[in-house]
């Protein structure tokens, strides 16, 4: 049966991506006042409060294994956000998101079969090399390490999210994991932000970052997934580096060379190809 409303659903995904990157741009603007770890803490704390209010998760009746899965999910959330914002402090937004996409891209390639997957590997590697168009020494080495750590964390996020989703209904697992991540981020955020946390405007903007980067995109993604096939949704999410580059240019004045833009395009193409290959494999695998 063909799903209706795929055009509006695709628009929801694009709006969610735009909100996410606008939120990241706002976060970068706040770095001088609260530091990347301070902003991570504010994002996770406000996101956790919103999700707890919406989901009202049930705390009883879960096994020890279920609680271990949600704690691990929270650890991954904290590390993914922390490493991503630490990378943003040193690298352009588009470059950071492109490197981060290598995490889920690697997972997609691993689930694909045949010779074609090596094409996606080659495209991705070529794209990454192109990102260092002006010389890799031009990119902050520690920033690249942080971005690669965020990429690995994103791959772990996908696995941890699926595991927690099997153990907890609806948004319960995400709300509880976000709470765990917020608690983990508290000492690092307080230590870095210091007195900045006493300023109401910083708290208000931190809440805006949480809503733009987490709450709105997640809500729009859930709505879109009801109308879009999972493969089409994953392909659209691969456009993240493009929306990040545009947001970095418009909001932060971050200019990229044509070779860097080409590199981002190659990584996007590799992501789309790997997702399609993984979807085809899933479609032909026997059930049971």
């Amino acid at each position: 049966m063909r799903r209706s409303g795929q055009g509006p659903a695709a628009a929801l995904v694009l709006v969610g991506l735009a909100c996410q990157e606008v939120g990241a741009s706002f976060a970068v603007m706040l770095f001088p006042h609260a530091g990347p770890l301070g902003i991570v803490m504010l994002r996770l704390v406000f996101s956790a409060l919103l999700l707890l209010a919406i989901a009202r998760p049930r705390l009883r009746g879960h096994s020890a294994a279920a609680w271990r899965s949600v704690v691990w999910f929270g650890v991954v959330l904290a590390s993914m956000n922390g490493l991503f914002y630490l990378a943003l402090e040193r690298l352009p937004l588009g470059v950071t998101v492109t490197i981060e996409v290598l995490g889920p891209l690697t997972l997609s390639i691993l689930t694909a079969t045949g010779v074609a997957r090596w094409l996606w590997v080659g495209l991705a590697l070529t794209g990454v090399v192109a990102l260092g168009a002006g010389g890799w020494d031009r990119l902050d080495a520690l920033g690249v390490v942080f971005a690669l750590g965020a990429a690995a964390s994103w791959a772990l996020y996908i696995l941890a999210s699926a595991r927690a989703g099997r153990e907890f209904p609806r948004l319960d697992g995400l709300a509880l994991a976000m709470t765990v991540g917020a608690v983990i981020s508290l000492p690092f955020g307080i230590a870095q932000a210091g007195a900045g946390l006493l300023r109401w405007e910083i708290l208000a903007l931190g809440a805006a970052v949480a809503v733009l980067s987490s709450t709105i995109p997640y809500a729009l993604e859930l709505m879109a997934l009801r109308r879009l096939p999972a493969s089409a949704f994953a392909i659209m999410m691969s456009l993240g580096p493009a929306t990040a580059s545009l947001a970095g240019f418009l909001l932060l004045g971050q200019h990229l060379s044509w070779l860097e833009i080409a590199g981002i395009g190659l990584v996007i193409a590799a992501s789309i190809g790997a997702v399609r290959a993984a979807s085809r494999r899933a479609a032909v695998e026997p059930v049971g």
Side-chain angles (χ1 to χ4, degrees), residues 76 79-88 96-97 99-104 143-157:
V76 171
S79 65
M80 181 177 71
N81 283 278
L83 290 167
F84 178 71
Y85 278 21
L86 285 170
L88 274 185
T96 304
V97 173
I99 295 174
E100 189 191 31
V101 162
L102 295 177
V144 172
V145 170
F146 286 144
L148 288 172
S153 295
W154 194 356
L156 291 174
Y157 167 87

Side-chain angles (χ1 to χ4, degrees), residues 44-253:
L44 292 178
V45 167
F46 283 116
S47 295
L49 292 174
L50 284 169
L51 283 168
L52 288 173
I54 294 169
R56 297 183 180 180
R58 185 169 56 88
L59 300 180
R60 296 182 179 179
H62 302 295
S63 66
W67 282 111
R68 283 195 295 271
S69 70
V70 87
V71 168
W72 171 240
F73 190 13
V75 170
V76 171
L77 270 171
S79 65
M80 181 177 71
N81 283 278
L83 290 167
F84 178 71
Y85 278 21
L86 285 170
L88 274 185
E89 187 182 28
R90 297 168 176 270
L91 298 174
L93 178 57
V95 172
T96 304
V97 173
T98 302
I99 295 174
E100 189 191 31
V101 162
L102 295 177
L105 172 58
T106 301
L107 274 184
S108 296
I109 290 172
L110 290 176
T111 58
T113 56
V115 178
R117 66 173 172 171
W118 299 112
L119 169 64
W120 314 133
V121 172
L123 278 178
L125 289 176
T126 304
V128 170
V129 170
L131 283 178
W136 278 99
D137 56 334
R138 188 179 57 82
L139 294 179
D140 184 273
L142 188 55
V144 172
V145 170
F146 286 144
L148 288 172
S153 295
W154 194 356
L156 291 174
Y157 167 87
I158 294 171
L159 300 174
S161 174
R163 182 179 173 186
R166 290 191 296 269
E167 300 282 359
F168 292 85
R170 302 181 304 277
L171 293 176
D172 290 20
L174 179 63
L176 293 170
M178 194 71 74
T179 303
V180 172
V183 171
I184 292 172
S185 71
L186 280 174
F188 303 99
I190 292 172
Q192 189 166 80
L197 296 176
L198 301 177
R199 295 168 56 186
W200 70 266
E201 66 272 21
I202 299 299
L203 294 176
L205 288 171
V209 169
V211 171
L212 285 168
S213 298
S214 300
T215 309
I216 292 177
Y218 192 79
L220 294 178
E221 288 165 15
L222 283 179
M223 293 168 63
L225 276 170
R226 294 172 183 166
R227 301 179 182 178
L228 279 178
S231 57
F233 174 79
I235 287 171
M236 295 202 67
M237 292 299 289
S238 300
L239 299 176
T243 57
S245 300
L246 184 60
F249 173 72
L250 294 176
L251 299 177
L252 302 174

